[in-house]
Amino acid sequence: MPAITLPDGTVKSFDDAVSAFDVAMSIGERLAKACVGCEIDGELRDLSTVIDHDCSLSLVTEKNRDKTDNPQALEMLRHSTAHVMAEAIQRVVPGAMLVYGPPLESGFYYDIKFPEDRPLKEGDFEAIEQEMGAIVKEDRAFTRYDMSISDGMEKLKAEGSKYKVDNGEAAVRAGSESLSFYATGEPGKDWEDLCRGPHIPSTGRIGGFKVMSLASSYWHGDENSDSLTRVYGTSFFSKKDLNAHLERLEEAKKRDHRVLGKKLKLFHIDETVGQGLILWTPNGSVVRKELQNFIAAELTKQGYHEVFTPHIGKLDLYRTSGHFPYYADSQFPPLVERDHLVELSNEGCTCAQLSNNMSTGEIEGFMLKPMNCPHHIKVFDSQPHSYKDLPVRLAEFGTVYRWEQSGELNGMTRVRGFTQDDAHLFCTPEQINDEVQGCLSLVKTIFDVLGMEDYRVRVGLRDPDSAKYTGDPANWDKAEKACLDAAATLGVPFSQEPGEAAFYGPKIDFVVKDVIGREWQLGTVQVDYNLPERFDLSYVGADNEKHRPVMIHRAPFGSMERFIGVLIEHFAGAFPVWLAPEQVRVLPISEKSNDYAQEVLEQLKARGIRATCDMADQRVQAKIKNGSEMKIPYLVVVGPRDAENRAVSVRAFGVAKDLGSMPLDEFVAAVAEEYSLKGASTVKERFETVTA
RNA sequence: GCCGCUGUAGCUCAGUGGUAGAGCGCACCCUUGGUAAGGGUGAGGUCGAGAGUUCAACUCUCUCUAGCGGCUCCA
């Protein structure tokens, strides 16, 4: 006699065991038809699940009441579509062995081992989609059946796929008491797969689907293990939703910083210079310079001192810091004096010996700096410090070089040479909390000014099982506590992630997503007891004894490259006035107005405004189109009428209609004000005041 | 680094085993036009690089290189 509690608190009692579908039917047929699954005591299950005990039940419908997407329903749908795709792929490519096919936030994938002589190609997608279409049309029910562990494992072994056997073993390790299989249709007759479920009722519920892309992956995510092919797809309950999704992807592409970087002439990457090396073109340089000036002003307010240090340092420096040779793989090769190299070569020294001798310190050389901290430590250590001096805050826009794997490089967001808005704070243990909080508030200030609200905060802690973290565990505990305490004061949710710490200390990272949903770490604050130890740093305390300072590494933007890459996407290239490479463009109606246009231009420039004038032999409509495509904040049209009134006709980016006419002096003053405020659009506001 | 895809004019992209085309941009001419493309003419390409197959390769094969999507990595 199960008593079933529904989300609204209603309790429904049944004489016998019932399926969740029956419960839905008892409420209403329309509801039952809209259901794809259910949640029993908080666990997502099939709609056909039989309930024979008291429980709470929540029905999962295709859409929420307000017609928005229901993530749980989509998860089930996509998991089910993964099965359909897998069946289709096995029809198209016999011998393809299934590994693992989970749902994702915006679709699903299936990892598959293809026969060596028959890899999957994008050209196969059409055939796969056709087969999928047929399976959907057949509207076969997803049918679950359970087997005992021993029977199930025997079945898997008999099927001969080590991957599925492995999945079965993993389920057993995770504590499963049985193994569940899902047949797409009738068990024993139709295609089936070992799967924990749950699934939607039948294939006919898949309204729209698409095979998206191919990638490789590794079994168990281990690069030394089997290489698998990962097939990505997505699906929706309706064709319309699918199309909307595909359109969103197209729109996102237009906001991609690599696309906009070219279109708006913000940066350039040249094969001849090297991959992952950003050439800042004049437009992008304006954005960077404005941001750097902004942060430099903030740093002065917060008591930082700016320093400059070179791009290279001796190998020995990095032996002391621990960067070399532990991270040799991700650094540019060391620079060794030419004569020395010739000498070694004459002595028959091999590359391997050379490398080895560099590690052991027998050969000295220089390294492009992978981090700024060793240099800053040496600045700090260039003179003795009293506890009264602390904290010492040293800041530098420091350029570092790292040998990132070629497959990892990505526009401005993952590069081999980049400039961190770096600083290192040397303080007493008592000062850590205040200093970390000061750093965090700086990051928040920046994010607020730029209107970046969509970020998450991650506190990276050490992984107790990993050997890569150096230093005293007691200090680690202190540092981790300091980070967690500071993060708690932020007022935004944060996650704790073991294994995400730097090798020398825990950190607080600000993570944002790009237009295609990839996450990037921007700002970071890291507490470090380790490097002061390695470099034997000290200060004289009130007790006249030597004490060890603690270091805080922090970079609110992270790197100028990555930050601006993300920022381009955040603004979709339409920068606010203070950042816009070109703030105002003057558009004379015809040659006859060129003189006045020139005068307008001079006035703008005299106020430090980045303005140009489009004197091309074109109609003003064309000039407006060109100016709009470059996403210039203000276009001002000037013709005889304006010249006579000493006015300009203003057009603001993103506003379809022109704002109207404004006296020239007033416009110049308004733009200058908007520039200095770094915030709201004062020009538009003035028009609103006029019309109000 | 691994798997798949891509590389043709400054940009976006068509294209064929017989040494190339469009639109935009650029130059010049006409046009002097009041809010998202006025018209004409012209210049511009070792078809990513190298090797191979072929009478003939931008096209087919291989290697390399770079970009894209993932995987792995990210002090």
Side-chain angles (χ1 to χ4, degrees):
Chain A
M1 275 210 33
I4 298 169
T5 312
L6 299 173
D8 65 355
T10 323
V11 179
K12 287 205 150 227
S13 291
F14 295 87
D15 293 338
D16 297 305
V18 289
S19 73
F21 179 74
D22 296 332
V23 179
M25 280 298 279
S26 77
I27 299 169
E29 199 180 324
R30 271 183 63 190
L31 172 70
K33 275 191 180 162
C35 284
V36 293
C38 66
E39 215 178 41
I40 297 172
D41 292 332
E43 197 185 333
L44 204 56
R45 305 288 297 270
D46 293 337
L47 191 60
S48 59
T49 306
V50 172
I51 303 167
D52 58 5
H53 59 280
D54 294 357
C55 66
S56 68
L57 173 76
S58 161
L59 293 162
V60 175
T61 50
E62 285 187 5
K63 295 254 177 179
N64 295 319
R65 275 212 181 144
D66 55 4
K67 300 263 164 76
T68 55
D69 284 340
N70 180 350
Q72 288 183 318
L74 281 175
E75 183 185 322
M76 290 181 68
L77 172 78
R78 286 160 179 171
H79 190 179
S80 302
T81 316
H83 278 218
V84 172
M85 183 179 80
E87 180 179 351
I89 286 173
Q90 288 193 318
R91 284 191 198 171
V92 174
V93 186
M97 290 165 94
L98 306 178
V99 184
Y100 180 58
L104 299 170
E105 200 176 319
S106 61
F108 58 87
Y109 67 79
Y110 217 119
D111 277 347
I112 298 173
K113 181 72 182 178
F114 285 93
E116 295 290 323
D117 58 346
R118 179 60 172 95
L120 195 71
K121 307 259 184 186
E122 275 181 18
D124 295 317
F125 286 6
E126 207 183 316
I128 294 168
E129 285 177 350
Q130 270 189 12
E131 293 294 340
M132 289 174 74
I135 297 165
V136 168
K137 209 172 167 192
E138 287 164 21
D139 195 18
R140 299 186 336 226
F142 286 96
T143 315
R144 178 189 176 115
Y145 66 96
D146 288 81
M147 293 180 90
S148 69
I149 300 284
S150 58
D151 289 354
M153 288 306 298
E154 205 164 299
K155 173 180 162 67
L156 292 174
K157 280 175 189 157
E159 284 168 2
S161 164
K162 65 171 177 174
Y163 305 109
K164 285 295 169 184
V165 170
D166 180 71
N167 285 356
E169 283 166 354
V172 173
R173 273 198 302 279
S176 288
E177 288 162 8
S178 61
L179 292 178
S180 58
F181 294 81
Y182 277 83
T184 310
E186 226 177 283
K189 182 169 158 261
D190 289 307
W191 187 90
E192 62 173 54
D193 193 11
L194 168 74
C195 179
R196 66 194 295 259
H199 284 281
I200 57 173
S202 70
T203 60
R205 302 294 280 272
I206 302 167
F209 60 85
K210 188 171 166 62
V211 182
M212 303 292 287
S213 63
L214 282 181
S216 86
S217 62
Y218 302 110
W219 195 26
H220 295 154
D222 174 4
E223 61 182 318
N224 299 312
S225 189
D226 294 11
S227 177
L228 308 171
T229 302
R230 179 168 293 182
V231 191
Y232 282 87
T234 191
S235 64
F236 291 86
F237 286 107
S238 72
K239 189 98 188 156
K240 195 174 139 215
D241 286 351
L242 172 69
N243 289 336
H245 173 75
L246 297 176
E247 271 166 39
R248 275 196 302 277
L249 292 181
E250 285 301 311
E251 283 307 306
K253 261 191 215 160
K254 291 184 199 157
R255 265 189 19 235
D256 190 308
H257 76 278
R258 292 162 299 186
V259 174
L260 287 171
K262 230 177 230 177
K263 183 173 160 190
L264 306 179
K265 301 180 171 66
L266 296 167
F267 68 96
H268 175 64
I269 299 171
D270 197 291
E271 223 180 293
T272 322
V273 175
Q275 47 177 169
L277 300 173
I278 302 295
L279 301 174
W280 292 79
T281 47
N283 284 354
S285 301
V286 167
V287 178
R288 171 170 168 169
K289 198 77 208 300
E290 287 286 358
L291 287 169
Q292 288 192 357
N293 290 346
F294 166 56
I295 197 158
E298 290 296 318
L299 292 185
T300 306
K301 282 186 216 162
Q302 292 201 9
Y304 283 74
H305 299 289
E306 192 162 10
V307 297
F308 296 95
T309 66
H311 287 213
I312 62 172
K314 279 188 173 178
L315 275 176
D316 221 23
L317 179 69
Y318 300 102
R319 287 194 193 98
T320 305
S321 71
H323 292 107
F324 188 84
Y326 301 119
Y327 287 93
D329 286 350
S330 47
Q331 291 161 180
F332 278 76
L335 310 159
V336 177
E337 199 196 339
R338 188 203 310 270
D339 291 349
H340 195 173
L341 274 181
V342 170
E343 200 179 301
L344 287 165
S345 164
N346 290 340
E347 288 167 9
C349 177
T350 64
C351 288
Q353 286 166 333
L354 178 67
S355 169
N356 189 41
N357 290 348
M358 280 193 288
S359 302
T360 56
E362 287 167 56
I363 296 176
E364 198 42 87
F366 290 86
M367 216 168 78
L368 279 168
K369 65 180 175 185
M371 288 190 99
N372 298 304
C373 23
H375 287 73
H376 290 181
I377 285 170
K378 287 299 173 186
V379 172
F380 173 82
D381 208 24
S382 63
Q383 51 187 296
H385 291 279
S386 152
Y387 70 100
K388 293 176 187 168
D389 302 336
L390 303 187
V392 170
R393 308 182 184 91
L394 303 177
E396 178 181 18
F397 289 98
T399 305
V400 299
Y401 299 89
R402 299 181 190 177
W403 188 264
E404 305 286 2
Q405 296 189 115
S406 63
E408 271 309 328
L409 299 172
N410 185 265
M412 290 183 113
T413 48
R414 191 80 185 262
V415 292
R416 284 184 172 166
F418 55 93
T419 302
Q420 297 177 310
D421 57 325
D422 210 357
H424 294 92
L425 286 65
F426 301 84
C427 65
T428 68
E430 294 73 35
Q431 291 169 329
I432 294 174
N433 280 24
D434 281 353
E435 290 305 312
V436 171
Q437 279 176 34
C439 295
L440 292 181
S441 75
L442 181 60
V443 178
K444 270 198 90 173
T445 301
I446 289 165
F447 278 30
D448 286 348
V449 166
L450 295 167
M452 298 174 71
E453 292 160 350
D454 198 11
Y455 61 88
R456 70 183 186 94
V457 177
R458 172 178 73 193
V459 180
L461 308 172
R462 71 190 189 279
D463 175 359
D465 298 329
S466 169
K468 89 172 190 188
Y469 306 102
T470 52
D472 178 7
N475 282 338
W476 269 92
D477 288 341
K478 277 191 266 179
E480 291 185 346
K481 183 167 185 318
C483 285
L484 290 168
D485 288 349
T489 65
L490 257 180
V492 292
F494 62 90
S495 62
Q496 300 183 31
E497 298 183 25
E500 287 293 325
F503 78 92
Y504 49 71
K507 53 182 189 164
I508 304 167
D509 293 332
F510 291 75
V511 181
V512 301
K513 277 187 186 171
D514 67 14
V515 288
I516 41 183
R518 286 184 291 215
E519 285 202 321
W520 300 102
Q521 177 203 309
L522 297 179
T524 182
V525 179
Q526 313 176 352
V527 178
D528 179 8
Y529 287 87
N530 181 35
L531 286 180
E533 197 80 35
R534 283 176 165 267
F535 282 96
D536 193 26
L537 299 181
S538 66
Y539 64 89
V540 177
D543 55 5
N544 201 29
E545 296 290 323
K546 273 188 171 186
H547 294 274
R548 187 79 73 205
V550 180
M551 262 176 88
I552 296 169
H553 309 237
R554 47 101 284 179
F557 286 156
S559 82
M560 300 314 294
E561 284 75 7
R562 178 176 292 179
F563 189 87
I564 290 174
V566 170
L567 197 66
I568 291 167
E569 301 187 355
H570 169 67
F571 287 122
F575 291 105
V577 164
W578 71 285
L579 292 174
E582 190 175 347
Q583 297 168 314
V584 179
R585 187 178 286 183
V586 185
L587 313 179
I589 290 285
S590 75
E591 255 172 54
K592 290 174 184 162
S593 300
N594 279 0
D595 286 349
Y596 180 60
Q598 189 64 41
E599 197 187 328
V600 171
L601 180 67
E602 293 308 327
Q603 288 219 19
L604 287 162
K605 280 185 167 173
R607 292 293 295 270
I609 294 162
R610 295 184 290 269
T612 63
C613 182
D614 181 355
M615 293 196 188
D617 180 12
Q618 286 180 122
R619 295 171 62 181
V620 73
Q621 286 87 336
K623 294 182 186 181
I624 287 168
K625 178 162 196 297
N626 293 338
S628 302
E629 284 196 339
M630 291 304 283
K631 307 190 186 226
I632 297 161
Y634 294 109
L635 299 175
V636 295
V637 174
V638 296
R641 263 194 334 247
D642 304 285
E644 201 173 311
N645 302 325
R646 298 204 55 76
V648 289
S649 299
V650 183
R651 197 173 231 286
F653 181 81
V655 180
K657 216 171 156 295
D658 66 312
L659 295 174
S661 179
M662 182 184 250
L664 174 59
D665 295 347
E666 202 180 316
F667 176 73
V668 174
V671 175
E673 193 188 351
E674 185 169 336
Y675 185 9
S676 66
L677 288 179
K678 300 184 169 55
S681 165
T682 49
V683 175
K684 272 186 262 182
E685 268 167 28
R686 285 189 194 216
F687 279 103
E688 277 154 22
T689 320
V690 170
T691 50

